[in-house]
Amino acid sequence: RYRILVSRSSSFTSTSILQTIETDGELTADLSMLPDGKYYWRVQAQNIDLVWGSWSSYRAFTIDTLPPTIPAMTSPLNNSSVLTPTPKLVVASAAGAKYYRFQVNTSNVFSDPLVDVKGTAIYYTLVPAQALPFGSAWWRVKTIDAAGNESDWSSPTQFTVTILKTPASGSYTLKTKPVFTWASVSGAKQY
């Protein structure tokens, strides 16, 4: 027979569960529900003479059923403009997050996003193969923790891909001869 010991302490000074497996030769145990947290466990065997042997070395595991927080989106901000079709998407670090999943689309419906990537960094820069068309785009993000729990998606944030710099949309000027500026476009010979 075997018995299993589960504790919150690696020194096993406090016992959460001590269960004897009554079926001869059984090598699994189905324990009661444990709340989220870190645990340590070890096993002890009993021989045919009913003498308990030494405890095994211990192993640690963590029960985590709670999703991480939704990260705050920092760039591009809602209703902002970006001067590149391959913008850098940036979020604030979220507690408990191991991965960040970024999605970008040309509508606020993400059933078939143009970009869908997962990584460990709090930012993602689109690569040339993911270049967005000029006009409106939306992005959103979620987090995933080490246990695989996923947060909800953030609210979609809209931005505009443009080459126009100044005058800014909706701006006012006192100049009767405003200066118009724009970003360069790869491959352009004249503007």
Side-chain angles (χ1 to χ4, degrees), residues 54-127:
S54 299
W55 285 103
S56 67
S57 59
Y58 68 83
R59 287 200 175 171
F61 67 96
T62 302
I63 295 176
D64 178 5
T65 61
L66 303 174
T69 59
I70 300 171
M73 302 165 76
T74 60
S75 179
L77 294 173
N78 199 33
N79 297 317
S80 65
S81 294
V82 296
L83 301 175
T84 175
T86 56
K88 182 177 184 178
L89 311 173
V90 183
V91 298
S93 181
K98 182 173 183 179
Y99 300 105
Y100 296 84
R101 183 174 170 196
F102 296 88
Q103 287 188 338
V104 182
N105 208 12
T106 53
S107 79
N108 62 356
V109 178
F110 288 85
S111 57
D112 189 23
L114 297 175
V115 176
D116 189 351
V117 295
K118 181 175 93 172
T120 57
I122 61 169
Y123 62 88
Y124 179 75
T125 304
L126 279 66
V127 297

Side-chain angles (χ1 to χ4, degrees), residues 7-174:
S7 177
R8 291 278 193 157
S9 164
S10 62
S11 62
F12 294 88
T13 53
S14 64
T15 301
S16 294
I17 296 174
L18 174 60
Q19 182 174 332
T20 301
I21 312 304
E22 296 297 337
T23 307
D24 288 351
E26 180 65 36
L27 300 176
T28 62
D30 187 9
L31 304 180
S32 61
M33 298 280 287
L34 296 172
D36 281 18
K38 186 171 185 175
Y39 294 90
Y40 302 87
W41 71 285
R42 61 186 182 180
V43 174
Q44 186 180 41
Q46 186 181 57
N47 67 20
I48 198 164
D49 296 323
L50 304 178
V51 176
W52 289 102
S54 299
W55 285 103
S56 67
S57 59
Y58 68 83
R59 287 200 175 171
F61 67 96
T62 302
I63 295 176
D64 178 5
T65 61
L66 303 174
T69 59
I70 300 171
M73 302 165 76
T74 60
S75 179
L77 294 173
N78 199 33
N79 297 317
S80 65
S81 294
V82 296
L83 301 175
T84 175
T86 56
K88 182 177 184 178
L89 311 173
V90 183
V91 298
S93 181
K98 182 173 183 179
Y99 300 105
Y100 296 84
R101 183 174 170 196
F102 296 88
Q103 287 188 338
V104 182
N105 208 12
T106 53
S107 79
N108 62 356
V109 178
F110 288 85
S111 57
D112 189 23
L114 297 175
V115 176
D116 189 351
V117 295
K118 181 175 93 172
T120 57
I122 61 169
Y123 62 88
Y124 179 75
T125 304
L126 279 66
V127 297
Q130 298 168 323
L132 299 172
F134 290 108
S136 292
W138 283 260
W139 73 290
R140 67 182 186 174
V141 65
K142 71 165 43 179
T143 53
I144 304 165
D145 67 16
N149 298 306
E150 296 185 10
S151 72
D152 289 332
W153 285 105
S154 62
S155 295
T157 295
Q158 187 270 334
F159 63 94
T160 302
V161 179
T162 184
I163 62 170
L164 304 178
K165 289 185 173 181
T166 60
S169 181
S171 65
Y172 292 88
T173 182
L174 298 173

